[in-house]
Amino acid sequence: MGKITDKLNKKDINFIKEQKMFFVATAPKEGKINISPKGLDKTFKVINENTVLWLNYFGSGNETAAHLLEDDRMTMMFCAFEGKPNILRLYCKAKAIQEKDKKWEKYISYFPNTNGARQIFKIKILNVNNSCGMGVPLYEFVDQREDLKKLYKKKTKKEQIEYMKRKNQISFDGKPTKLFED
């Protein structure tokens, strides 16, 4: 049986810091539900027991931003793939902060590696659910993939923006992300 609370505790925060990967789920009012695995070191920042930030880099889609315009619910999941079993789910409300937004500079300052940044999600935690995780397989962590970091280093800021304008303004379901709109 899982344990549900209304905020992160010290144990939860330490567990999050130890994880190399997490999952993000969002859904529009109609259309595909999106679940994405996320990695890349230092992209998740706990601000306090009810607020976290997630730095999102550009890629092939931008489903999370599109979905949050219709429904601001987000679920994040962290699984222990090594060590003591645990699954930690965060049930949240989230908002995309983009470079055009007034608070961008404040939030981007929390992250050391910002090359390739597309948006930051400011996430308010409503509930925290810890469950056993005994069914999650054990894996040995080798390393974070360097592919995206290498891609971002090859592209100038102008080239990154051009890519995002081509690939990240509409979701797979044809929903707007408002990445470059006011």
Side-chain angles (χ1 to χ4, degrees), residues 42-60:
K42 298 180 175 68
T43 60
F44 194 86
K45 177 75 175 166
V46 176
I47 303 301
N48 61 46
E49 60 196 13
N50 286 103
T51 308
V52 296
L53 299 175
W54 160 41
L55 175 62
N56 184 243
Y57 296 104
F58 76 84
S60 59

Side-chain angles (χ1 to χ4, degrees), residues 102-121:
K102 291 176 186 174
K103 295 200 175 194
W104 175 261
E105 291 302 322
K106 174 184 176 183
Y107 293 124
I108 198 73
S109 69
Y110 282 99
F111 301 98
N113 304 313
T114 61
N115 186 21
R118 176 174 54 197
Q119 61 240 19
I120 298 163
F121 292 99

Side-chain angles (χ1 to χ4, degrees), residues 17-29:
K17 288 178 181 177
E18 292 172 6
Q19 303 316 303
K20 313 296 190 289
M21 180 173 143
F22 60 96
F23 299 83
V24 176
T26 56
K29 291 188 186 298

